[in-house]
Amino acid sequence: MTSLERIFNNVATAADITINGTNPWDIQVHNKGLYSRLLHTGSLGFGEAYMDNWWDCSRIDEMMFHIIRAKLPEKLKTMGWNATKLFLNKLNFIEAIFINRQNKKRAKLVGEKHYDIGNKLYAAMLDKRMVYTCGYWKKATNLDDSQEAKLKLVCEKLNLQPGQKILDIGCGWGSFAKYAAEYYGVSVVGITISKEQAELAKKNCKDLPIEIRLEDYRQLNEKFDHIVSLGMFEHVGYKNYALYFKVAQCCLKNDGLFLMHTIGSNISINKGEPWIDKYIFQNGHLPSLKQIAKACEDVFVIEDMHNFGADYDKTLMAWHKNFVRNWPELKANYDERFYRMWTYYLLSCAGTFRARDIQLWQLVLSKQGVDGGYQRVS
């Protein structure tokens, strides 16, 4: 065993992970170059090494849970990462400070590289309504029911009334728009930057008072009774938070409510996790409550904040189960490396939510405060 192997073995042991061990969360190393790769490229290299079949783990979700709970990333940073890694970190920091990675031109990348990779993939992975955000599992026992419960929760938090006009920023495949129109009698304008989503959303919402637009939120300039944004704020970028809320404020009627549903970080950061940024959500960024609150100053009153981040663990595990079950029908369009990439994405994120390292927040915002106070619906 080399000294580098010994160091990483000792670090892994601190998280109750044994290299080539027998626990389902233990890592099985196929290529000993993994240790050097980790030292040089950190979490990016770790995910890429899995895609390259350099290591395996039967329960990646549990492995990630152990890694995060033991704070292994912090321990690795104290091991004396070499100059190459430090230089890359410095470049990433400089880029985050001086470049708006979510400007209008760059914002389209996540639509093209993530949401446009095939509607059949998402239809096979998601619930029957194709909701690509966290389900609400308070009383639900399966994915379909959890997403129905989440959509109902959103509508009731906004107190939707027949005849109202709702804006859905980041409408996906039209799941919220269709649900709200069918059950609450509202009309909806949904916007997305994904061509594939817009095309299918229009089909899904046919014959309902719903308009689906291929449009960036920065182009909006009209009034709505209420606004919804489910799982889109993660793509806005901290440099654009103030503008995002200002646009929402301008589009919301004075007595309206804005419900924002977003994944959030426990700490304030300026750039996303490297592997997720490169392979899954290009130019993504998880906000902290501090960053959200600062951007809302003098723009919105925060009426309510609801955290059900633990429910994303269950949602992601359900998505992964569907993905694996339907892989035989999907693999004609995707290769084995994609299968490993998608598996790593879903399971590593599940473990991260399980460790409560990231959260899921629903915030209800008003322009000037609800008279008598907002009444929470749960």
Side-chain angles (χ1 to χ4, degrees), residues 192-203:
T192 176
I193 57 171
S194 165
K195 294 179 181 178
E196 292 283 327
Q197 284 187 335
E199 182 180 339
L200 186 55
K202 289 177 182 179
K203 293 180 181 179

Side-chain angles (χ1 to χ4, degrees), residues 200-337:
L200 186 55
K202 289 177 182 179
K203 293 180 181 179
N204 289 341
C205 300
K206 187 179 179 182
D207 299 326
L208 289 169
I210 297 169
E211 180 185 358
I212 303 296
R213 303 175 186 169
L214 191 62
E215 186 174 313
D216 187 281
Y217 71 93
R218 284 162 283 211
Q219 298 172 259
L220 291 165
N221 185 27
E222 56 194 286
K223 293 291 185 182
F224 297 88
D225 292 291
H226 300 295
I227 301 175
V228 172
S229 184
L230 307 179
M232 181 272 179
F233 193 66
E234 300 91 328
H235 303 303
V236 171
Y238 79 103
K239 284 183 175 292
N240 304 307
Y241 288 167
L243 174 60
Y244 172 87
F245 285 118
K246 193 64 180 176
V247 169
Q249 182 199 49
C250 291
C251 290
L252 185 65
K253 292 182 179 179
N254 287 338
D255 59 348
L257 294 173
F258 173 25
L259 187 143
M260 187 179 77
H261 170 118
T262 182
I263 299 171
S265 172
N266 290 337
I267 59 174
S268 297
I269 53 178
N270 294 329
K271 192 174 181 182
E273 194 280 326
W275 187 86
I276 291 289
D277 180 74
K278 182 175 180 179
Y279 290 99
I280 307 299
F281 297 115
Q282 284 76 14
N283 300 325
H285 174 258
L286 299 185
S288 67
L289 283 177
K290 178 181 177 180
Q291 290 169 328
I292 292 173
K294 183 178 180 180
C296 282
E297 286 186 6
D298 295 325
V299 180
F300 281 113
V301 174
I302 299 176
E303 298 285 356
D304 185 65
M305 199 284 287
H306 183 187
N307 184 350
F308 52 100
D311 284 16
Y312 228 140
D313 177 11
K314 294 180 181 179
T315 304
L316 284 154
M317 294 303 292
W319 289 346
H320 179 254
K321 183 178 180 180
N322 287 344
F323 172 67
V324 172
R325 185 179 69 248
N326 292 302
W327 179 246
E329 288 74 44
L330 294 170
K331 64 181 181 181
N333 298 316
Y334 306 94
D335 60 17
E336 187 65 22
R337 196 165 191 265

